[in-house]
Amino acid sequence: MTTTLLRTSDELHARVRTGRRAVVMTMGALHEGHATLIRAARALAGGDGEVVVTVFVNPLQFGAGEDLDRYPRTLDADLKLAEQAGADVVFAPSVEEVYPGGEPQVRVTAGPMGERLEGASRPGHFDGMLTVVAKLLHLTRPDAALYGQKDAQQLALIRRMVRDLNFGVEIVAVPTVREDDGLALSSRNRYLSPRERQTALALSQALFAGRDRHAAQEALRARAREVPSTRARAEALSALGESRAAADAAAVAKASPGAADAVRAAARLVLDEAARLDPPLELDYLALVDPSDFTEIGDDFTGEAVLAVAARVGATRLIDNLPLTFQNPGAPGPREPLGAAS
Protein backbone atom coordinates (compact mmCIF):
# COMPACT_ATOMS: atom_id res chain seq x y z
CA MET A 1 0.00 0.00 0.00
CA THR A 2 1.23 3.48 -0.88
CA THR A 3 0.05 6.30 1.37
CA THR A 4 -1.01 9.48 -0.42
CA LEU A 5 0.00 12.87 0.98
CA LEU A 6 -2.70 15.52 0.59
CA ARG A 7 -2.48 19.17 1.55
CA THR A 8 -5.98 20.53 0.89
CA SER A 9 -9.50 19.52 1.79
CA ASP A 10 -10.51 19.79 -1.88
CA GLU A 11 -8.01 17.03 -2.71
CA LEU A 12 -9.42 14.90 0.10
CA HIS A 13 -13.04 15.48 -0.91
CA ALA A 14 -12.24 14.55 -4.50
CA ARG A 15 -11.33 10.99 -3.49
CA VAL A 16 -13.90 8.32 -4.31
CA ARG A 17 -15.31 6.77 -1.14
CA THR A 18 -16.63 3.23 -1.21
CA GLY A 19 -16.59 2.23 2.45
CA ARG A 20 -16.21 3.73 5.91
CA ARG A 21 -13.66 6.48 6.47
CA ALA A 22 -11.80 6.38 9.79
CA VAL A 23 -9.63 9.31 10.82
CA VAL A 24 -6.74 9.50 13.29
CA MET A 25 -5.87 13.06 14.30
CA THR A 26 -2.26 13.80 15.24
CA MET A 27 0.18 16.67 15.54
CA GLY A 28 2.85 14.59 13.83
CA ALA A 29 6.05 13.20 15.35
CA LEU A 30 4.35 9.82 15.07
CA HIS A 31 5.37 6.89 17.27
CA GLU A 32 4.12 3.40 18.08
CA GLY A 33 1.17 4.83 19.98
CA HIS A 34 -0.03 6.53 16.80
CA ALA A 35 0.69 3.36 14.82
CA THR A 36 -1.60 1.46 17.18
CA LEU A 37 -4.35 4.01 16.52
CA ILE A 38 -3.83 3.71 12.77
CA ARG A 39 -3.96 -0.10 12.89
CA ALA A 40 -7.18 0.11 14.92
CA ALA A 41 -8.59 2.51 12.33
CA ARG A 42 -7.59 0.09 9.56
CA ALA A 43 -9.44 -2.74 11.30
CA LEU A 44 -12.48 -0.52 11.81
CA ALA A 45 -12.59 0.75 8.22
CA GLY A 46 -12.02 -2.68 6.71
CA GLY A 47 -10.44 -3.52 3.40
CA ASP A 48 -12.92 -1.45 1.39
CA GLY A 49 -12.76 1.56 3.70
CA GLU A 50 -10.26 4.39 4.04
CA VAL A 51 -7.94 5.49 6.83
CA VAL A 52 -6.97 9.16 6.96
CA VAL A 53 -4.25 10.40 9.32
CA THR A 54 -4.19 14.14 9.91
CA VAL A 55 -0.88 15.84 10.73
CA PHE A 56 -1.40 19.37 11.96
CA VAL A 57 0.34 21.28 14.75
CA ASN A 58 -2.54 23.40 16.00
CA PRO A 59 -1.39 26.82 17.23
CA LEU A 60 -4.67 27.46 19.06
CA GLN A 61 -3.99 24.85 21.73
CA PHE A 62 -0.54 26.12 22.72
CA GLY A 63 -0.39 28.76 25.42
CA ALA A 64 2.24 31.43 26.05
CA GLY A 65 5.58 29.84 26.89
CA GLU A 66 4.58 26.39 25.65
CA ASP A 67 6.49 24.39 23.04
CA LEU A 68 4.78 25.36 19.77
CA ASP A 69 8.02 26.46 18.09
CA ARG A 70 10.06 23.45 19.18
CA TYR A 71 7.30 20.85 18.77
CA PRO A 72 8.87 18.18 16.52
CA ARG A 73 7.89 18.25 12.86
CA THR A 74 8.90 15.05 11.08
CA LEU A 75 6.58 14.70 8.10
CA ASP A 76 8.78 12.35 6.04
CA ALA A 77 9.12 9.92 8.94
CA ASP A 78 5.41 10.32 9.71
CA LEU A 79 4.50 9.31 6.16
CA LYS A 80 6.61 6.19 6.43
CA LEU A 81 5.12 5.12 9.76
CA ALA A 82 1.57 5.86 8.59
CA GLU A 83 2.12 3.77 5.48
CA GLN A 84 3.53 0.84 7.45
CA ALA A 85 0.55 0.98 9.84
CA GLY A 86 -1.99 0.88 7.01
CA ALA A 87 -3.04 4.48 6.33
CA ASP A 88 -4.41 5.36 2.91
CA VAL A 89 -3.98 9.12 3.25
CA VAL A 90 -1.92 11.54 5.31
CA PHE A 91 -3.73 14.87 5.34
CA ALA A 92 -1.20 17.56 6.31
CA PRO A 93 -2.84 20.93 5.77
CA SER A 94 -1.17 24.29 6.29
CA VAL A 95 -2.32 26.72 8.96
CA GLU A 96 -3.86 28.78 6.16
CA GLU A 97 -5.86 25.78 4.97
CA VAL A 98 -7.32 25.12 8.40
CA TYR A 99 -7.75 28.78 9.39
CA PRO A 100 -8.12 30.63 6.06
CA GLY A 101 -9.15 33.89 7.71
CA GLY A 102 -6.53 33.81 10.41
CA GLU A 103 -7.33 32.79 13.96
CA PRO A 104 -11.08 32.08 14.08
CA GLN A 105 -13.29 34.56 15.90
CA VAL A 106 -15.91 31.87 16.54
CA ARG A 107 -14.56 28.92 18.54
CA VAL A 108 -15.81 25.89 20.42
CA THR A 109 -15.83 26.44 24.18
CA ALA A 110 -15.03 23.48 26.40
CA GLY A 111 -17.22 24.64 29.29
CA PRO A 112 -16.65 23.78 32.98
CA MET A 113 -14.94 20.44 32.26
CA GLY A 114 -12.40 22.28 30.17
CA GLU A 115 -11.38 24.43 33.14
CA ARG A 116 -10.34 21.50 35.35
CA LEU A 117 -6.98 19.70 35.60
CA GLU A 118 -5.34 20.19 32.20
CA GLY A 119 -7.60 23.17 31.58
CA ALA A 120 -6.59 24.81 34.84
CA SER A 121 -2.91 24.25 34.05
CA ARG A 122 -3.25 25.33 30.43
CA PRO A 123 -5.97 28.02 30.15
CA GLY A 124 -7.63 28.01 26.73
CA HIS A 125 -5.99 24.74 25.69
CA PHE A 126 -9.20 22.77 25.38
CA ASP A 127 -11.04 25.53 23.54
CA GLY A 128 -8.27 25.46 20.93
CA MET A 129 -8.25 21.66 20.85
CA LEU A 130 -12.01 21.33 20.38
CA THR A 131 -12.03 24.06 17.74
CA VAL A 132 -9.44 22.27 15.61
CA VAL A 133 -11.08 18.87 16.14
CA ALA A 134 -14.38 20.33 14.97
CA LYS A 135 -12.64 21.85 11.95
CA LEU A 136 -10.83 18.62 11.08
CA LEU A 137 -14.00 16.57 11.44
CA HIS A 138 -15.66 18.88 8.93
CA LEU A 139 -12.64 18.84 6.61
CA THR A 140 -12.15 15.04 6.67
CA ARG A 141 -15.83 13.99 6.97
CA PRO A 142 -15.15 10.65 8.67
CA ASP A 143 -17.57 7.97 9.80
CA ALA A 144 -15.37 7.31 12.84
CA ALA A 145 -12.54 9.11 14.62
CA LEU A 146 -10.07 7.35 16.92
CA TYR A 147 -8.28 8.87 19.93
CA GLY A 148 -5.90 7.49 22.54
CA GLN A 149 -6.96 7.08 26.16
CA LYS A 150 -3.69 8.68 27.31
CA ASP A 151 -5.34 12.05 26.71
CA ALA A 152 -8.34 11.10 28.83
CA GLN A 153 -9.71 14.60 29.40
CA GLN A 154 -9.34 15.43 25.71
CA LEU A 155 -11.20 12.25 24.81
CA ALA A 156 -14.00 13.02 27.28
CA LEU A 157 -14.40 16.55 25.90
CA ILE A 158 -14.46 15.39 22.28
CA ARG A 159 -17.15 12.86 23.15
CA ARG A 160 -19.12 15.58 24.90
CA MET A 161 -18.78 17.98 21.97
CA VAL A 162 -19.88 15.33 19.47
CA ARG A 163 -22.89 14.50 21.63
CA ASP A 164 -23.86 18.06 22.57
CA LEU A 165 -23.42 19.51 19.08
CA ASN A 166 -24.80 16.50 17.14
CA PHE A 167 -21.73 15.61 15.10
CA GLY A 168 -22.55 12.55 13.02
CA VAL A 169 -19.37 10.65 13.84
CA GLU A 170 -18.46 7.68 16.02
CA ILE A 171 -15.74 8.38 18.60
CA VAL A 172 -13.55 5.35 19.35
CA ALA A 173 -11.10 5.15 22.29
CA VAL A 174 -7.87 3.14 21.98
CA PRO A 175 -5.91 2.07 25.11
CA THR A 176 -2.66 3.82 26.03
CA VAL A 177 0.49 2.30 24.55
CA ARG A 178 3.49 2.09 26.88
CA GLU A 179 7.21 1.41 26.68
CA ASP A 180 8.46 -1.81 28.27
CA ASP A 181 9.31 0.15 31.43
CA GLY A 182 5.78 1.58 31.69
CA LEU A 183 6.34 5.10 30.37
CA ALA A 184 3.39 6.16 28.22
CA LEU A 185 4.40 6.86 24.64
CA SER A 186 4.41 10.56 23.79
CA SER A 187 5.96 12.73 21.12
CA ARG A 188 7.41 14.81 23.96
CA ASN A 189 9.40 11.87 25.38
CA ARG A 190 12.16 12.67 22.89
CA TYR A 191 12.85 15.88 24.83
CA LEU A 192 13.93 13.90 27.92
CA SER A 193 17.58 13.29 28.74
CA PRO A 194 18.42 9.79 30.04
CA ARG A 195 18.33 11.00 33.66
CA GLU A 196 15.10 12.93 33.10
CA ARG A 197 13.54 9.85 31.58
CA GLN A 198 14.34 7.85 34.72
CA THR A 199 12.57 10.47 36.80
CA ALA A 200 9.63 10.52 34.38
CA LEU A 201 8.98 6.84 35.08
CA ALA A 202 7.46 7.97 38.37
CA LEU A 203 4.28 9.02 36.55
CA SER A 204 3.37 5.50 35.47
CA GLN A 205 4.79 3.99 38.67
CA ALA A 206 2.49 6.22 40.72
CA LEU A 207 -0.50 5.15 38.66
CA PHE A 208 0.42 1.49 39.02
CA ALA A 209 0.79 1.94 42.79
CA GLY A 210 -2.68 3.48 42.95
CA ARG A 211 -4.06 0.67 40.81
CA ASP A 212 -2.46 -1.99 43.02
CA ARG A 213 -3.81 -0.37 46.18
CA HIS A 214 -7.25 -0.22 44.57
CA ALA A 215 -7.08 -3.91 43.60
CA ALA A 216 -6.02 -4.87 47.13
CA GLN A 217 -8.87 -2.91 48.68
CA GLU A 218 -11.41 -4.37 46.29
CA ALA A 219 -10.15 -7.84 47.21
CA LEU A 220 -10.47 -7.03 50.93
CA ARG A 221 -13.98 -5.74 50.49
CA ALA A 222 -14.96 -8.84 48.53
CA ARG A 223 -13.48 -11.00 51.29
CA ALA A 224 -15.32 -9.01 53.94
CA ARG A 225 -18.61 -9.71 52.19
CA GLU A 226 -17.95 -13.41 52.70
CA VAL A 227 -18.32 -13.10 56.50
CA PRO A 228 -20.73 -15.93 57.48
CA SER A 229 -24.33 -14.80 57.63
CA THR A 230 -25.70 -17.57 59.84
CA ARG A 231 -24.51 -19.06 63.12
CA ALA A 232 -24.62 -22.60 61.76
CA ARG A 233 -22.47 -21.66 58.78
CA ALA A 234 -20.07 -19.75 61.01
CA GLU A 235 -19.62 -22.79 63.21
CA ALA A 236 -19.02 -25.01 60.20
CA LEU A 237 -16.46 -22.63 58.72
CA SER A 238 -14.77 -22.22 62.08
CA ALA A 239 -13.85 -25.88 62.01
CA LEU A 240 -11.93 -25.13 58.82
CA GLY A 241 -10.32 -22.00 60.21
CA GLU A 242 -12.25 -19.88 57.72
CA SER A 243 -14.28 -17.67 60.02
CA ARG A 244 -11.20 -16.03 61.54
CA ALA A 245 -9.88 -15.23 58.08
CA ALA A 246 -13.22 -13.72 57.11
CA ALA A 247 -13.37 -11.69 60.31
CA ASP A 248 -9.81 -10.46 59.78
CA ALA A 249 -10.66 -9.37 56.26
CA ALA A 250 -13.74 -7.54 57.52
CA ALA A 251 -11.70 -5.75 60.20
CA VAL A 252 -8.97 -4.70 57.75
CA ALA A 253 -11.50 -3.45 55.21
CA LYS A 254 -13.33 -1.48 57.90
CA ALA A 255 -10.15 0.02 59.32
CA SER A 256 -8.55 0.94 56.01
CA PRO A 257 -8.85 4.49 54.61
CA GLY A 258 -11.60 5.33 52.17
CA ALA A 259 -11.14 3.63 48.83
CA ALA A 260 -10.56 6.81 46.81
CA ASP A 261 -8.28 8.44 49.37
CA ALA A 262 -6.22 5.26 49.70
CA VAL A 263 -5.64 5.17 45.95
CA ARG A 264 -4.58 8.82 45.93
CA ALA A 265 -2.26 8.28 48.90
CA ALA A 266 -0.52 5.29 47.31
CA ALA A 267 0.11 7.21 44.08
CA ARG A 268 1.23 10.36 45.87
CA LEU A 269 3.82 8.45 47.89
CA VAL A 270 5.63 7.55 44.66
CA LEU A 271 5.40 11.09 43.35
CA ASP A 272 6.71 12.56 46.61
CA GLU A 273 9.75 10.30 46.37
CA ALA A 274 10.32 11.37 42.75
CA ALA A 275 10.27 15.01 43.84
CA ARG A 276 13.53 14.30 45.72
CA LEU A 277 15.31 12.82 42.70
CA ASP A 278 17.92 14.56 40.56
CA PRO A 279 16.45 15.90 38.38
CA PRO A 280 13.24 16.20 40.41
CA LEU A 281 9.69 15.57 39.29
CA GLU A 282 7.58 18.73 39.68
CA LEU A 283 3.99 17.62 40.19
CA ASP A 284 1.26 19.62 38.51
CA TYR A 285 -1.68 17.53 39.67
CA LEU A 286 -2.74 14.07 40.82
CA ALA A 287 -6.47 13.47 40.57
CA LEU A 288 -8.97 10.64 40.82
CA VAL A 289 -11.97 11.78 38.84
CA ASP A 290 -15.32 10.89 37.35
CA PRO A 291 -14.68 10.73 33.56
CA SER A 292 -18.10 12.22 32.81
CA ASP A 293 -17.11 15.65 34.15
CA PHE A 294 -13.56 15.29 35.59
CA THR A 295 -14.56 16.21 39.13
CA GLU A 296 -12.87 14.45 42.06
CA ILE A 297 -14.67 11.36 43.32
CA GLY A 298 -15.49 10.61 46.95
CA ASP A 299 -15.24 7.40 48.92
CA ASP A 300 -18.88 6.56 48.20
CA PHE A 301 -18.30 6.66 44.43
CA THR A 302 -19.13 3.61 42.34
CA GLY A 303 -18.45 3.04 38.66
CA GLU A 304 -15.69 3.99 36.22
CA ALA A 305 -13.05 6.49 37.34
CA VAL A 306 -9.77 7.88 36.01
CA LEU A 307 -6.57 8.25 38.03
CA ALA A 308 -4.71 11.07 36.27
CA VAL A 309 -1.34 12.73 36.77
CA ALA A 310 0.59 15.57 35.16
CA ALA A 311 4.12 16.65 36.01
CA ARG A 312 7.14 18.44 34.64
CA VAL A 313 10.60 16.91 34.38
CA GLY A 314 13.13 19.50 33.34
CA ALA A 315 11.47 21.53 30.60
CA THR A 316 9.12 18.72 29.54
CA ARG A 317 5.54 18.40 30.75
CA LEU A 318 4.03 14.90 30.68
CA ILE A 319 0.60 13.44 31.43
CA ASP A 320 -0.67 9.92 32.07
CA ASN A 321 -3.72 8.15 33.48
CA LEU A 322 -5.26 4.78 34.26
CA PRO A 323 -8.94 3.77 34.37
CA LEU A 324 -10.24 2.16 37.57
CA THR A 325 -13.58 0.61 38.45
CA PHE A 326 -15.04 1.08 41.94
CA GLN A 327 -17.56 -1.49 43.12
CA ASN A 328 -20.27 -0.72 45.64
CA PRO A 329 -18.51 -1.22 48.99
CA GLY A 330 -21.79 -2.11 50.65
CA ALA A 331 -22.92 -4.62 48.05
CA PRO A 332 -23.94 -7.77 49.89
CA GLY A 333 -22.34 -11.06 49.12
CA PRO A 334 -24.30 -14.33 48.80
CA ARG A 335 -26.53 -14.92 51.82
CA GLU A 336 -27.98 -18.06 53.30
CA PRO A 337 -31.75 -18.34 53.89
CA LEU A 338 -32.63 -17.72 57.55
CA GLY A 339 -32.37 -20.91 59.58
CA ALA A 340 -30.35 -22.74 56.96
CA ALA A 341 -27.59 -25.05 58.06
CA SER A 342 -24.53 -26.36 56.32
mmCIF file of all heavy atoms in Angstrom, residues 68 87 91 134 145 162 176 182 202 207 209 220 241-242 261 263 268 280 289 316 324-325 335 341:
data_model
loop_
_atom_site.group_PDB
_atom_site.id
_atom_site.type_symbol
_atom_site.label_atom_id
_atom_site.label_comp_id
_atom_site.label_asym_id
_atom_site.label_seq_id
_atom_site.Cartn_x
_atom_site.Cartn_y
_atom_site.Cartn_z
ATOM 1 N N LEU A 68 5.234 25.336 21.162
ATOM 2 C CA LEU A 68 4.777 25.363 19.773
ATOM 3 C C LEU A 68 5.954 25.405 18.801
ATOM 4 O O LEU A 68 6.010 24.639 17.835
ATOM 5 C CB LEU A 68 3.867 26.570 19.542
ATOM 6 C CG LEU A 68 3.436 26.820 18.084
ATOM 7 C CD1 LEU A 68 2.652 25.635 17.531
ATOM 8 C CD2 LEU A 68 2.605 28.101 17.978
ATOM 9 N N ALA A 87 -2.281 3.292 6.700
ATOM 10 C CA ALA A 87 -3.038 4.485 6.325
ATOM 11 C C ALA A 87 -3.117 4.616 4.808
ATOM 12 O O ALA A 87 -2.154 4.337 4.098
ATOM 13 C CB ALA A 87 -2.407 5.730 6.920
ATOM 14 N N PHE A 91 -3.219 13.537 5.638
ATOM 15 C CA PHE A 91 -3.727 14.873 5.340
ATOM 16 C C PHE A 91 -2.969 15.858 6.212
ATOM 17 O O PHE A 91 -3.142 15.890 7.428
ATOM 18 C CB PHE A 91 -5.232 14.927 5.621
ATOM 19 C CG PHE A 91 -5.862 16.283 5.423
ATOM 20 C CD1 PHE A 91 -5.694 16.976 4.227
ATOM 21 C CD2 PHE A 91 -6.642 16.847 6.419
ATOM 22 C CE1 PHE A 91 -6.291 18.215 4.036
ATOM 23 C CE2 PHE A 91 -7.246 18.084 6.240
ATOM 24 C CZ PHE A 91 -7.073 18.773 5.045
ATOM 25 N N ALA A 134 -13.161 20.056 15.727
ATOM 26 C CA ALA A 134 -14.385 20.332 14.975
ATOM 27 C C ALA A 134 -14.059 20.662 13.517
ATOM 28 O O ALA A 134 -14.714 20.159 12.585
ATOM 29 C CB ALA A 134 -15.152 21.482 15.622
ATOM 30 N N ALA A 145 -13.801 8.471 14.269
ATOM 31 C CA ALA A 145 -12.536 9.111 14.622
ATOM 32 C C ALA A 145 -11.995 8.417 15.858
ATOM 33 O O ALA A 145 -12.729 8.151 16.809
ATOM 34 C CB ALA A 145 -12.735 10.602 14.884
ATOM 35 N N VAL A 162 -19.176 16.070 20.519
ATOM 36 C CA VAL A 162 -19.876 15.329 19.466
ATOM 37 C C VAL A 162 -21.328 15.062 19.859
ATOM 38 O O VAL A 162 -22.238 15.150 19.026
ATOM 39 C CB VAL A 162 -19.116 14.010 19.171
ATOM 40 C CG1 VAL A 162 -19.962 13.052 18.360
ATOM 41 C CG2 VAL A 162 -17.814 14.317 18.443
ATOM 42 N N THR A 176 -3.995 3.215 26.015
ATOM 43 C CA THR A 176 -2.659 3.818 26.031
ATOM 44 C C THR A 176 -1.591 2.778 25.702
ATOM 45 O O THR A 176 -1.638 1.650 26.193
ATOM 46 C CB THR A 176 -2.370 4.421 27.421
ATOM 47 O OG1 THR A 176 -3.369 5.415 27.705
ATOM 48 C CG2 THR A 176 -0.981 5.038 27.478
ATOM 49 N N GLY A 182 7.021 0.989 31.204
ATOM 50 C CA GLY A 182 5.781 1.577 31.690
ATOM 51 C C GLY A 182 5.519 2.990 31.250
ATOM 52 O O GLY A 182 4.386 3.481 31.353
ATOM 53 N N ALA A 202 8.282 7.873 37.167
ATOM 54 C CA ALA A 202 7.461 7.972 38.374
ATOM 55 C C ALA A 202 5.984 8.205 38.045
ATOM 56 O O ALA A 202 5.111 7.831 38.839
ATOM 57 C CB ALA A 202 7.974 9.101 39.266
ATOM 58 N N LEU A 207 0.796 5.684 39.088
ATOM 59 C CA LEU A 207 -0.504 5.150 38.657
ATOM 60 C C LEU A 207 -0.617 3.669 38.978
ATOM 61 O O LEU A 207 -1.668 3.196 39.438
ATOM 62 C CB LEU A 207 -0.688 5.386 37.155
ATOM 63 C CG LEU A 207 -0.741 6.841 36.688
ATOM 64 C CD1 LEU A 207 -0.887 6.900 35.173
ATOM 65 C CD2 LEU A 207 -1.877 7.604 37.359
ATOM 66 N N ALA A 209 0.922 2.087 41.345
ATOM 67 C CA ALA A 209 0.793 1.940 42.794
ATOM 68 C C ALA A 209 -0.645 2.198 43.230
ATOM 69 O O ALA A 209 -1.187 1.480 44.086
ATOM 70 C CB ALA A 209 1.746 2.901 43.507
ATOM 71 N N LEU A 220 -10.096 -7.017 49.521
ATOM 72 C CA LEU A 220 -10.468 -7.030 50.931
ATOM 73 C C LEU A 220 -11.971 -6.870 51.110
ATOM 74 O O LEU A 220 -12.599 -7.565 51.922
ATOM 75 C CB LEU A 220 -9.743 -5.915 51.676
ATOM 76 C CG LEU A 220 -8.297 -6.195 52.111
ATOM 77 C CD1 LEU A 220 -7.674 -4.932 52.687
ATOM 78 C CD2 LEU A 220 -8.251 -7.323 53.129
ATOM 79 N N GLY A 241 -11.164 -23.173 60.023
ATOM 80 C CA GLY A 241 -10.318 -21.998 60.211
ATOM 81 C C GLY A 241 -10.672 -20.851 59.300
ATOM 82 O O GLY A 241 -9.891 -19.932 59.118
ATOM 83 N N GLU A 242 -11.874 -20.903 58.703
ATOM 84 C CA GLU A 242 -12.247 -19.882 57.724
ATOM 85 C C GLU A 242 -12.846 -18.647 58.382
ATOM 86 O O GLU A 242 -12.704 -17.545 57.877
ATOM 87 C CB GLU A 242 -13.262 -20.465 56.734
ATOM 88 C CG GLU A 242 -12.690 -21.516 55.814
ATOM 89 C CD GLU A 242 -11.916 -20.893 54.664
ATOM 90 O OE1 GLU A 242 -12.113 -19.705 54.403
ATOM 91 O OE2 GLU A 242 -11.114 -21.594 54.041
ATOM 92 N N ASP A 261 -9.417 7.803 48.707
ATOM 93 C CA ASP A 261 -8.281 8.438 49.374
ATOM 94 C C ASP A 261 -7.078 7.507 49.443
ATOM 95 O O ASP A 261 -5.928 7.951 49.339
ATOM 96 C CB ASP A 261 -8.682 8.875 50.781
ATOM 97 C CG ASP A 261 -9.516 10.150 50.778
ATOM 98 O OD1 ASP A 261 -9.530 10.835 49.734
ATOM 99 O OD2 ASP A 261 -10.161 10.449 51.800
ATOM 100 N N VAL A 263 -6.239 5.209 47.281
ATOM 101 C CA VAL A 263 -5.636 5.175 45.948
ATOM 102 C C VAL A 263 -4.781 6.419 45.732
ATOM 103 O O VAL A 263 -3.640 6.344 45.265
ATOM 104 C CB VAL A 263 -6.731 5.063 44.869
ATOM 105 C CG1 VAL A 263 -6.140 5.285 43.473
ATOM 106 C CG2 VAL A 263 -7.404 3.695 44.938
ATOM 107 N N ARG A 268 0.490 9.172 45.452
ATOM 108 C CA ARG A 268 1.230 10.365 45.871
ATOM 109 C C ARG A 268 2.548 9.999 46.545
ATOM 110 O O ARG A 268 3.545 10.724 46.413
ATOM 111 C CB ARG A 268 0.386 11.229 46.802
ATOM 112 C CG ARG A 268 1.063 12.539 47.193
ATOM 113 C CD ARG A 268 0.111 13.463 47.898
ATOM 114 N NE ARG A 268 -0.862 14.018 46.976
ATOM 115 C CZ ARG A 268 -0.642 15.071 46.185
ATOM 116 N NH1 ARG A 268 0.553 15.659 46.185
ATOM 117 N NH2 ARG A 268 -1.580 15.527 45.397
ATOM 118 N N PRO A 280 14.478 16.501 39.697
ATOM 119 C CA PRO A 280 13.240 16.197 40.411
ATOM 120 C C PRO A 280 12.020 16.193 39.487
ATOM 121 O O PRO A 280 12.030 16.801 38.421
ATOM 122 C CB PRO A 280 13.141 17.345 41.416
ATOM 123 C CG PRO A 280 13.799 18.494 40.714
ATOM 124 C CD PRO A 280 14.923 17.883 39.918
ATOM 125 N N VAL A 289 -10.805 11.027 39.293
ATOM 126 C CA VAL A 289 -11.972 11.784 38.837
ATOM 127 C C VAL A 289 -13.018 10.904 38.162
ATOM 128 O O VAL A 289 -12.742 9.800 37.692
ATOM 129 C CB VAL A 289 -11.546 12.894 37.855
ATOM 130 C CG1 VAL A 289 -10.609 13.885 38.530
ATOM 131 C CG2 VAL A 289 -10.895 12.309 36.610
ATOM 132 N N THR A 316 10.133 19.525 30.237
ATOM 133 C CA THR A 316 9.123 18.720 29.541
ATOM 134 C C THR A 316 7.950 18.406 30.460
ATOM 135 O O THR A 316 8.140 17.913 31.575
ATOM 136 C CB THR A 316 9.736 17.400 29.037
ATOM 137 O OG1 THR A 316 10.864 17.705 28.213
ATOM 138 C CG2 THR A 316 8.718 16.605 28.243
ATOM 139 N N LEU A 324 -9.958 3.044 36.445
ATOM 140 C CA LEU A 324 -10.235 2.164 37.572
ATOM 141 C C LEU A 324 -11.745 1.999 37.713
ATOM 142 O O LEU A 324 -12.506 2.898 37.364
ATOM 143 C CB LEU A 324 -9.672 2.742 38.878
ATOM 144 C CG LEU A 324 -8.162 2.980 38.961
ATOM 145 C CD1 LEU A 324 -7.819 3.673 40.275
ATOM 146 C CD2 LEU A 324 -7.395 1.673 38.839
ATOM 147 N N THR A 325 -12.166 0.855 38.231
ATOM 148 C CA THR A 325 -13.581 0.609 38.455
ATOM 149 C C THR A 325 -13.820 0.386 39.940
ATOM 150 O O THR A 325 -13.202 -0.487 40.551
ATOM 151 C CB THR A 325 -14.063 -0.622 37.668
ATOM 152 O OG1 THR A 325 -13.810 -0.421 36.281
ATOM 153 C CG2 THR A 325 -15.562 -0.841 37.870
ATOM 154 N N ARG A 335 -26.014 -14.708 50.470
ATOM 155 C CA ARG A 335 -26.529 -14.921 51.816
ATOM 156 C C ARG A 335 -27.293 -16.239 51.880
ATOM 157 O O ARG A 335 -27.881 -16.679 50.901
ATOM 158 C CB ARG A 335 -27.472 -13.778 52.226
ATOM 159 C CG ARG A 335 -26.772 -12.424 52.300
ATOM 160 C CD ARG A 335 -27.706 -11.361 52.830
ATOM 161 N NE ARG A 335 -28.119 -11.652 54.194
ATOM 162 C CZ ARG A 335 -27.415 -11.309 55.273
ATOM 163 N NH1 ARG A 335 -26.266 -10.684 55.134
ATOM 164 N NH2 ARG A 335 -27.857 -11.595 56.474
ATOM 165 N N ALA A 341 -28.765 -24.455 57.433
ATOM 166 C CA ALA A 341 -27.590 -25.049 58.059
ATOM 167 C C ALA A 341 -26.754 -25.685 56.990
ATOM 168 O O ALA A 341 -27.248 -26.158 55.980
ATOM 169 C CB ALA A 341 -28.000 -26.052 59.113
#
